[in-house]
Amino acid sequence: MCGTERSSHSIACLSNGSRANLPVIDLDPGNPAVFEEYWRRMGDKCRVDIPGCDLMSYKAPTGNVCWFLLPELEEAIRRLHRAVGNAVVDERHLVVGTGSTQVFQAALYALSTPASHKPIHVVSAAPYYSSYPEETDFLCSRLYKWGGDAKEYDAEKSGAFIEVVNSPNNPDGCMRQSVVNASQGKLIHDFAYYWPQFTPINSPADHDLMYFTFSKCTGHAGSRIGWALVKDREVAVKMTKYIELNTLGVSKDSQFRTAKIIKLLCNDYQKIGLNSSNNFFEYGNRVMAKRWKNLRDVIGRSDVFSLPTFERQYCCFLGRPSRPYPAFAWLKCKEEIEDCGSFLRGYNIEGRHGKRFGADAKYLRISMLSSDDVFYDFLDRLSAIQTFQQ
Amino acid sequence: MCGTERSSHSIACLSNGSRANLPVIDLDPGNPAVFEEYWRRMGDKCRVDIPGCDLMSYKAPTGNVCWFLLPELEEAIRRLHRAVGNAVVDERHLVVGTGSTQVFQAALYALSTPASHKPIHVVSAAPYYSSYPEETDFLCSRLYKWGGDAKEYDAEKSGAFIEVVNSPNNPDGCMRQSVVNASQGKLIHDFAYYWPQFTPINSPADHDLMYFTFSKCTGHAGSRIGWALVKDREVAVKMTKYIELNTLGVSKDSQFRTAKIIKLLCNDYQKIGLNSSNNFFEYGNRVMAKRWKNLRDVIGRSDVFSLPTFERQYCCFLGRPSRPYPAFAWLKCKEEIEDCGSFLRGYNIEGRHGKRFGADAKYLRISMLSSDDVFYDFLDRLSAIQTFQQ
């Protein structure tokens, strides 16, 4: 942490007008810049090299349901899940998408019924990922429709539904299970954050339709690679059809690069084991642990904010107990402040407003994944605000 | 052409049952394998190299409307259009998508009105690209709806519409203009094939919303890069929003590779000019010309098939007269054969059925972009069929 004390005093003394001139600290998006330093250190080992005549076809040389999935990517992803132990991959079809955003929409398409007279409701327990409602509704499809908080959903009255279970959950980091107690529901498990840097891995997830993303696994968000593990062949076929009609496949350049980076990650793990900061997940876990400790130290001295707390659990991958270190801090303002977003905006700190997650305005989602500079500037300014409030 | 005579005789003598054992020649998809040889010859010049820590962000370092567009890709695309002279780029916003498939859907979203009570009709003159109806309707959107053949569209009766003008047109290779004569229409110009290898460039296209694709420009279909040139800022903003909600941006790896390859292509053109087979478009034009000559030779000896004919025109880019050499042959069977697709399937030749383009079963779309092996095997078998028919 850089210069907290000095800045605390100077910000605490500022007038409202002067605070508005502070540089904006934007912690709204979840861009995973935190992991860039690791890949910089890896240097040429994870450089990819693509000749001009390679990867030119729409198709992949595969007999797969997902006809555009590169075989080397499939092999790398299956190997990664086996190494990490976070998902069952045997007897699962693998469908690749342009980020988990596209995979989620492919899943909605695959689980809905065109012949049905009414759109199927898509629900998720609040606080839910802010993009689910918009991604579900923006095309005003007659196949599916956002149905709101899963905890409020009355399946008896409202009929068939898809429940999205995000575990650990964005924004609050909690581990989750489905909440709607009804047989006519279908489940989608969003495991974007079920990796050892963010949460203890307790067992391989084993559900009908689970999806993951390279963006949050290693931090390579720019590659736009997500994937689903799908038990039912027909669902995998329909998801593939969605991606065919939507984008005629998925970037081969990104698939190739993702395969190479995941392979490197698995090789390093097999060769050097965990007891080295050269292991990506060990490195990521330490970095996230340090950030959470620093944030909790600042919040602990505060009368203004609080954070969720998490129990220590055994992580099967790390082989030791670990706490969850979520990708986002679900910051809550105390009684006297109605709107956490507006309050922090007064100090030019941007987060994502609680209401966007189906929650109260007292909450604000703060990214824990920014670059070091941005994150420690944030802690710096947050310390100062607390001093000011007191 | 390899071994036409020998094979002609052998196939001509085969029974129906034996014909079914011939290897399948699949000319249904438009995979542009024809250009791979050129890029192989270019060798290391167009190799791309991406360090593990690069291109990791969702965002691009740009002040652009399209917040995920890499500046080097924007620069390369504008330079390419200026060099080829096929589109006006000044005072146009550039929106990148995951192939022209996604760009088309982004355009539908941007030109429709969520507040409207009825979906806007999407029309295109038959024969139209077979994917337009399916891409428009597969999500059963209340924003837009496929309206069929633009020539049959009654705007007085049916109201607001979007007309897609594909020029040169897939499947028949004709140059086109809009056909619906009504003021309440919006236009999308699909210029996937408006490149010098496929058609003479007569002037820079100048329309409100025009789109192109890397897949057909250079043959790099696996990269899934398409782009739109958009006059109206609000339309570009809405298209960007669609891509944000649909895939949270576009592969940076592919954007980076596309920028490098286009830059190389432009550098070569500036350095060596056209009088060399090292110029991609000159090379492409010669290869397509040769294929069309060979196909016309075979069809010319036929009583069974016919092809569209095209006038020679001056190509401003090549600086000489050229004929159109479309990416697809729009093959027509003569009177005695009802269904061209079924007829050729009897010889294990697959094309795309005329009905999928809103046309007659007498037509079949045949890709002219396959690898040399496949294309010349096709000519070989086609020659034999004609012998058989006689």
Side-chain angles (χ1 to χ4, degrees):
Chain A
M1 288 173 64
C2 41
T4 304
E5 287 308 310
R6 192 195 63 246
S7 299
S8 299
H9 289 296
S10 57
I11 297 171
C13 303
L14 288 177
S15 66
N16 285 355
S18 306
R19 273 187 239 136
N21 292 327
L22 292 168
V24 172
I25 296 177
D26 187 4
L27 297 169
D28 176 327
N31 209 38
V34 62
F35 303 125
E36 279 188 31
E37 176 54 26
Y38 175 85
W39 298 107
R40 194 165 293 119
R41 274 172 38 194
M42 291 298 109
D44 284 346
K45 271 171 70 176
C46 49
R47 189 179 281 272
V48 300
D49 189 307
I50 311 173
C53 61
D54 271 14
L55 307 174
M56 289 183 67
S57 175
Y58 293 104
K59 287 189 180 177
T62 173
N64 238 302
V65 161
C66 185
W67 57 264
F68 43 79
L69 169 62
L70 285 182
E72 54 265 51
L73 180 61
E74 171 164 28
E75 192 190 324
I77 288 172
R78 289 186 190 273
R79 187 178 164 203
L80 178 67
H81 284 300
R82 286 192 182 104
V84 173
N86 63 342
V88 171
V89 289
D90 293 330
E91 291 167 37
R92 294 299 197 285
H93 300 281
L94 209 155
V95 179
V96 67
T98 309
S100 61
T101 307
Q102 188 181 41
V103 174
F104 169 66
Q105 289 166 68
L108 297 187
Y109 176 76
L111 296 181
S112 61
T113 315
S116 165
H117 296 295
K118 280 165 63 180
I120 191 166
H121 288 99
V122 181
V123 298
S124 189
Y128 41 71
Y129 175 35
S130 52
S131 292
Y132 293 152
E134 217 176 359
E135 287 171 17
T136 305
D137 282 346
F138 80 116
L139 292 176
C140 307
S141 172
R142 277 189 295 267
L143 302 179
Y144 42 76
K145 185 182 172 179
W146 179 245
D149 185 356
K151 294 193 294 288
E152 308 284 323
Y153 191 73
D154 182 346
E156 293 280 325
K157 208 174 98 193
S158 306
F161 66 94
I162 298 169
E163 182 181 349
V164 196
V165 181
N166 185 200
S167 182
N169 188 49
N170 170 3
D172 64 3
C174 295
M175 294 303 286
R176 285 193 158 183
Q177 293 190 315
S178 64
V179 301
V180 188
N181 186 16
S183 59
Q184 69 271 51
K186 296 173 183 177
L187 296 178
I188 296 175
H189 281 80
D190 173 351
F191 284 131
Y193 303 95
Y194 193 41
W195 297 104
Q197 67 270 45
F198 300 124
T199 200
I201 303 299
N202 46 40
S203 66
D206 183 9
H207 300 281
D208 289 350
L209 198 167
M210 312 184 274
Y211 69 77
F212 296 83
T213 166
F214 192 44
S215 306
K216 299 294 156 51
C217 169
T218 63
H220 290 87
S223 295
R224 313 306 310 117
I225 293 291
W227 63 89
L229 300 171
V230 185
K231 211 179 262 183
D232 186 85
R233 191 178 190 279
E234 280 318 300
V235 173
V237 167
K238 280 187 77 180
M239 288 181 73
T240 302
K241 188 70 188 170
Y242 173 93
I243 296 167
E244 177 184 328
L245 290 169
N246 187 208
T247 54
L248 204 37
V250 173
S251 163
K252 294 287 187 304
D253 311 321
S254 283
Q255 289 192 58
F256 182 75
R257 188 173 179 222
T258 305
K260 163 124 191 199
I261 289 172
I262 291 180
K263 194 176 162 194
L264 174 87
L265 203 149
C266 292
N267 285 349
D268 273 357
Y269 173 58
Q270 284 189 324
K271 212 164 56 191
I272 58 178
L274 282 167
N275 296 321
S276 159
S277 62
N278 274 342
N279 176 276
F280 172 74
F281 293 119
E282 181 66 43
Y283 169 92
N285 184 274
R286 286 181 193 173
V287 168
M288 294 304 294
K290 184 180 168 210
R291 288 196 172 191
W292 272 93
K293 181 181 180 310
N294 292 335
L295 177 64
R296 288 197 190 277
D297 284 350
V298 171
I299 298 290
R301 294 193 297 269
S302 159
D303 279 342
V304 188
F305 306 106
S306 67
L307 284 172
T309 54
F310 303 103
E311 292 299 311
R312 194 180 290 271
Q313 289 167 53
Y314 188 79
C315 175
C316 301
F317 177 77
L318 296 175
R320 58 174 163 81
S322 171
R323 279 190 205 279
Y325 302 119
F328 300 100
W330 188 228
L331 203 62
K332 188 181 182 187
C333 274
K334 296 201 174 160
E335 293 310 324
E336 58 275 25
I337 299 165
E338 292 278 316
D339 186 319
C340 189
S342 301
F343 175 72
L344 281 177
R345 190 169 297 125
Y347 293 88
N348 274 353
I349 295 171
E350 294 288 339
R352 195 167 293 178
H353 200 281
K355 289 201 166 175
R356 290 193 54 197
F357 302 86
D360 198 276
K362 284 198 174 300
Y363 289 94
L364 193 72
R365 190 194 77 168
I366 292 288
S367 171
M368 296 292 285
L369 304 178
S370 66
S371 67
D372 266 2
D373 281 1
V374 174
F375 182 71
Y376 288 108
D377 277 354
F378 161 66
L379 287 193
D380 198 12
R381 203 172 292 176
L382 203 65
S383 296
I385 294 167
Q386 290 163 208
T387 314
F388 183 69
Q389 286 297 315
Q390 289 159 352
Chain B
M1 288 171 66
C2 42
T4 305
E5 285 309 311
R6 191 194 66 245
S7 300
S8 300
H9 288 297
S10 56
I11 297 170
C13 303
L14 289 176
S15 66
N16 285 353
S18 306
R19 272 187 241 138
N21 293 328
L22 292 168
V24 172
I25 297 177
D26 187 3
L27 297 168
D28 177 327
N31 209 38
V34 61
F35 303 126
E36 279 189 30
E37 175 54 26
Y38 175 85
W39 298 107
R40 195 164 292 119
R41 275 173 35 197
M42 290 299 108
D44 285 346
K45 271 172 66 176
C46 49
R47 189 180 282 271
V48 301
D49 190 307
I50 312 173
C53 60
D54 270 14
L55 307 174
M56 288 183 68
S57 175
Y58 293 103
K59 287 190 180 177
T62 173
N64 239 302
V65 162
C66 185
W67 57 264
F68 43 79
L69 169 61
L70 285 183
E72 54 265 50
L73 180 62
E74 171 164 27
E75 192 189 324
I77 288 172
R78 290 187 190 273
R79 186 177 165 205
L80 177 67
H81 284 301
R82 287 194 181 103
V84 173
N86 63 343
V88 171
V89 288
D90 293 329
E91 291 168 35
R92 295 297 198 286
H93 299 281
L94 210 155
V95 179
V96 67
T98 310
S100 60
T101 306
Q102 189 182 41
V103 174
F104 168 66
Q105 289 167 66
L108 297 187
Y109 175 76
L111 297 180
S112 61
T113 314
S116 165
H117 296 294
K118 281 165 61 180
I120 192 165
H121 288 98
V122 181
V123 298
S124 188
Y128 42 72
Y129 175 37
S130 52
S131 292
Y132 292 152
E134 219 176 357
E135 287 171 16
T136 305
D137 282 345
F138 79 116
L139 291 177
C140 307
S141 173
R142 278 189 294 268
L143 302 178
Y144 42 77
K145 185 182 173 179
W146 179 246
D149 185 355
K151 295 194 292 291
E152 308 285 323
Y153 190 73
D154 183 345
E156 292 281 324
K157 209 174 96 191
S158 306
F161 65 95
I162 297 169
E163 182 181 349
V164 197
V165 182
N166 186 202
S167 182
N169 188 49
N170 170 3
D172 65 2
C174 295
M175 294 303 285
R176 285 193 160 185
Q177 294 188 314
S178 63
V179 302
V180 188
N181 186 16
S183 59
Q184 69 271 51
K186 296 173 183 178
L187 296 178
I188 296 174
H189 280 80
D190 173 352
F191 284 132
Y193 302 94
Y194 193 40
W195 296 104
Q197 68 271 44
F198 299 124
T199 199
I201 303 299
N202 46 40
S203 66
D206 183 8
H207 300 281
D208 289 350
L209 197 167
M210 312 184 274
Y211 69 78
F212 296 82
T213 166
F214 192 44
S215 307
K216 298 295 157 51
C217 169
T218 63
H220 290 86
S223 295
R224 312 307 309 118
I225 293 291
W227 63 88
L229 299 170
V230 184
K231 211 180 263 183
D232 186 86
R233 191 178 189 279
E234 281 317 300
V235 173
V237 167
K238 280 188 75 179
M239 289 181 72
T240 302
K241 188 71 188 170
Y242 173 93
I243 296 167
E244 178 184 326
L245 290 169
N246 188 207
T247 54
L248 204 36
V250 173
S251 162
K252 296 286 187 305
D253 311 321
S254 283
Q255 289 192 57
F256 182 75
R257 186 172 182 225
T258 304
K260 163 123 193 201
I261 290 172
I262 291 181
K263 194 176 162 192
L264 175 88
L265 202 149
C266 291
N267 285 350
D268 274 357
Y269 173 57
Q270 284 190 323
K271 211 163 59 190
I272 59 179
L274 283 165
N275 296 320
S276 159
S277 62
N278 275 342
N279 175 275
F280 172 75
F281 293 119
E282 181 67 43
Y283 170 91
N285 184 275
R286 285 181 195 174
V287 168
M288 294 304 294
K290 184 180 169 212
R291 288 196 171 190
W292 271 93
K293 183 183 179 309
N294 291 336
L295 177 65
R296 288 197 191 277
D297 285 351
V298 171
I299 298 290
R301 295 192 296 271
S302 159
D303 280 342
V304 187
F305 305 107
S306 66
L307 283 172
T309 54
F310 303 103
E311 292 299 310
R312 193 180 290 271
Q313 290 166 50
Y314 188 79
C315 175
C316 301
F317 176 78
L318 297 174
R320 58 175 163 78
S322 172
R323 278 188 206 281
Y325 303 118
F328 301 99
W330 189 228
L331 203 62
K332 188 180 182 187
C333 276
K334 294 201 175 158
E335 292 309 323
E336 57 277 24
I337 300 165
E338 292 278 316
D339 186 319
C340 189
S342 300
F343 176 73
L344 280 176
R345 190 169 297 127
Y347 293 88
N348 273 353
I349 295 172
E350 293 288 339
R352 194 168 293 178
H353 200 281
K355 289 200 165 176
R356 290 194 54 197
F357 303 86
D360 198 275
K362 284 197 173 302
Y363 289 94
L364 193 72
R365 190 194 79 168
I366 292 288
S367 171
M368 295 293 284
L369 304 179
S370 65
S371 66
D372 266 3
D373 281 2
V374 173
F375 183 72
Y376 287 108
D377 277 354
F378 160 66
L379 287 193
D380 197 12
R381 202 172 293 176
L382 203 66
S383 295
I385 294 166
Q386 290 162 207
T387 314
F388 183 70
Q389 286 297 316
Q390 289 159 354

